[in-house]
Amino acid sequence: MSSSPRLLAGLLFAAYSALSVNRHRQMRSTGYDLGIFEQAVRSYAHLRPPIADLKGPGFNLLGDHFHPVIILAVPFYRIFPSPVTLLVLQAALLALSAVPVTRLAIEFCGHRAGVCLGLAYGLSWGIQQAVVFDFHEIAFAVPLLARSVELLARRSWRAAAGWALPLLLVKEDQAFIVAAIGAYIFWRGRRGLGALVAAVAVEVGALVVVIIIPAFNPHHSYPYGKTAGPISSLPVPVTKEETMLALLAPTLFFALRSPLVLLAAPSLLARFWTSSPNLWGTRFHYSAVLMPILFIAFADGLARMRASDRVVLLRAARVAPILALLIAVCVPQPLWSVLSPASWRVPEQVRTAEALLRTIPDGADVAAANRIAPQLTGRCRVFRFLSEPTPWFRPEWVVTTGAPYEQSMIADLPSLGYRVVAQATGITIYRRPRAAG
């Protein structure tokens, strides 16, 4: 078997790691969500429930989303207890997903075209947006899904189902994709297996949303249920159309020649159904799980063209992966920043902020601004500034960045007993003296 898929994955891993770790070094990572996931993994690593105080004091993260898969990060975090561990792990998972995509593309389209297609996948905007937006549990889903869809393309139905079912442990919304895989297997003739996979996806998804998450949620409800609404009652903004175009354009629309592209439909429709605009667009990590589906459908669609007797289709199939790679290279994306020497410099302002943060002792209770939180979650109990302090709970330390949205709470700090103990450009540390006795 060609070593090209593994070599490509190694290059992507290095690039993804460099991008995300460098962002963290420059204090561009956030409490929402890197800090939250570090708190959960840190709790698991100490054999405690996944408490994420950034979501609220004592908040069990299983009351937000169902993602027991993040327990797999614990062995790595125990050895290297740092948010950087999560960023590197995510880079490895996303890079690993390129192996099945590239391997199938080489087999279906030839070596050169397959490598181009695999690289276009690795540079796709959906993957890069996941890399650049901190750490998320969805990183575990991407390689699982890539392997499952690869096996679907090879008509290895039972193996495809076996790789798909663990997606139900990644996040509750993966039930849409698992159900779609079951429906696809059913449609392709393995009706018993397909029906079983789809039924398990629906039942587990319903169990998680109706019972498990509400059991851990302080309000005893699924916190994202209110974001859904009838399609007819929602506006259809341009961002939805732009997202559809952005998803299909990297494959030059050849993904539409493969029935595998239908696997993306339920997940995408669920996003468009919600009333949350964040889910409609191309930002953040939401489209990462769609990339393996689309690019494997791309390879499958090209293989169908290569099997045609029409010369024009054969030529298009040979050129399309190269054009897809050129598009991926030419479109401005976050990953290109690692090629600039200036992007590797840590600003003096950040170094000063790091020195100031070291004045906060390990184990302290801190209410921190979003950009500061992941710098402290590895050694302190960190709460979200703006939700803390309150009249009922006041952490000893507060760290602000002076952002406009912080001003009203900053103005209240003196009346709550906080005094400035350290200050520099872009960061101010407050402390409330402990009560005597």
Side-chain angles (χ1 to χ4, degrees):
M1 184 177 65
S2 171
S3 61
S4 298
R6 293 189 295 272
L7 291 173
L8 177 59
L11 291 173
L12 291 172
F13 169 64
Y16 296 162
S17 298
L19 175 61
S20 56
V21 172
N22 194 43
R23 290 184 74 255
H24 180 69
R25 289 176 61 242
Q26 297 176 345
M27 289 191 176
R28 295 164 60 199
S29 58
T30 61
Y32 273 62
D33 293 306
L34 178 58
I36 288 173
F37 278 106
E38 185 185 10
Q39 288 181 329
V41 172
R42 185 184 181 193
S43 293
Y44 277 136
H46 291 88
L47 304 180
R48 297 194 298 262
I51 301 301
D53 290 306
L54 280 165
K55 292 286 292 184
F59 187 93
N60 189 317
L61 205 56
L62 289 174
D64 186 53
H65 287 298
F66 183 71
H67 36 45
V69 72
I70 65 173
I71 293 175
L72 296 178
V74 167
F76 305 99
Y77 189 83
R78 288 287 293 181
I79 299 172
F80 304 105
S82 164
V84 172
T85 300
L86 300 185
L87 296 175
V88 173
L89 175 60
Q90 175 171 263
L93 290 167
L94 295 175
L96 182 62
S97 71
V99 173
V101 175
T102 309
R103 180 171 55 212
L104 185 80
I106 290 174
E107 181 177 329
F108 280 16
C109 306
H111 189 271
R112 183 177 63 177
V115 171
C116 288
L117 191 150
L119 187 53
Y121 164 79
L123 298 177
S124 64
W125 64 265
I127 298 295
Q128 290 202 46
Q129 286 298 314
V131 172
V132 82
F133 189 51
D134 294 347
F135 173 87
H136 293 86
E137 73 279 81
I138 213 68
F140 289 94
V142 180
L144 287 172
L145 190 54
R147 178 59 172 154
S148 180
V149 180
E150 177 200 17
L151 291 165
L152 289 178
R154 298 181 187 281
R155 297 177 173 80
S156 299
W157 310 121
R158 185 170 296 181
W163 281 89
L165 289 173
L167 290 166
L168 298 172
L169 301 177
V170 175
K171 196 177 180 182
E172 66 277 5
D173 61 2
Q174 295 306 292
F176 290 109
I177 292 180
V178 178
I181 290 174
Y184 185 87
I185 294 173
F186 181 92
W187 174 56
R188 299 294 289 181
R190 293 297 300 273
R191 301 201 170 189
L193 178 62
L196 177 62
V197 172
V200 169
V202 172
E203 291 176 7
V204 171
L207 178 68
V208 166
V209 170
V210 176
I211 297 177
I212 296 179
I213 291 179
F216 291 100
N217 186 275
H219 302 293
H220 304 292
S221 64
Y222 179 58
Y224 302 97
K226 294 181 180 180
T227 63
I231 293 177
S232 60
S233 70
L234 298 176
V236 183
V238 177
T239 53
K240 293 182 181 180
E241 299 171 358
E242 291 173 344
T243 297
M244 288 295 298
L245 178 62
L247 287 169
L248 294 171
T251 71
L252 305 178
F253 298 92
F254 288 123
L256 295 173
R257 295 187 60 88
S258 170
L260 289 168
V261 76
L262 296 173
L263 298 175
S267 179
L268 192 59
L269 288 173
R271 283 170 55 186
F272 288 172
W273 182 279
T274 70
S275 57
S276 174
N278 284 337
L279 296 172
W280 301 340
T282 57
R283 294 185 62 201
F284 310 120
H285 58 289
Y286 302 116
S287 296
V289 293
L290 301 181
M291 294 295 118
I293 297 174
L294 294 170
F295 276 84
I296 289 177
F298 184 17
D300 185 54
L302 294 180
R304 294 168 185 269
M305 293 171 62
R306 290 169 68 92
S308 172
D309 293 332
R310 297 173 61 182
V311 176
V312 65
L313 291 181
L314 179 60
R315 290 177 177 175
R318 290 173 176 171
V319 175
I322 300 173
L323 292 177
L325 176 58
L326 290 175
I327 291 173
V329 170
C330 293
V331 173
Q333 288 288 355
L335 201 55
W336 304 139
S337 66
V338 302
L339 301 178
S340 170
S343 69
W344 290 86
R345 301 191 190 101
V346 177
E348 189 61 34
Q349 178 179 331
V350 170
R351 297 188 185 278
T352 301
E354 290 175 339
L356 262 61
L357 291 176
R358 285 194 288 270
T359 64
I360 300 175
D362 293 353
D365 288 352
V366 186
N370 194 35
R371 293 287 180 185
I372 301 299
Q375 307 294 325
L376 294 169
T377 46
R379 63 183 185 87
C380 297
R381 187 183 181 194
V382 182
F383 306 87
R384 184 187 179 196
F385 183 61
L386 294 183
S387 65
E388 304 297 344
T390 70
W392 306 276
F393 180 80
R394 300 177 184 175
E396 182 180 358
W397 300 82
V398 170
V399 185
T400 70
T401 58
Y405 61 85
E406 299 175 359
Q407 294 305 315
S408 60
M409 180 59 94
I410 291 174
D412 292 336
L413 290 177
S415 65
L416 294 172
Y418 289 90
R419 299 291 180 267
V420 175
V421 296
Q423 189 172 30
T425 303
I427 184 173
T428 303
I429 300 179
Y430 298 81
R431 186 181 185 186
R432 182 178 63 85
R434 294 180 179 180

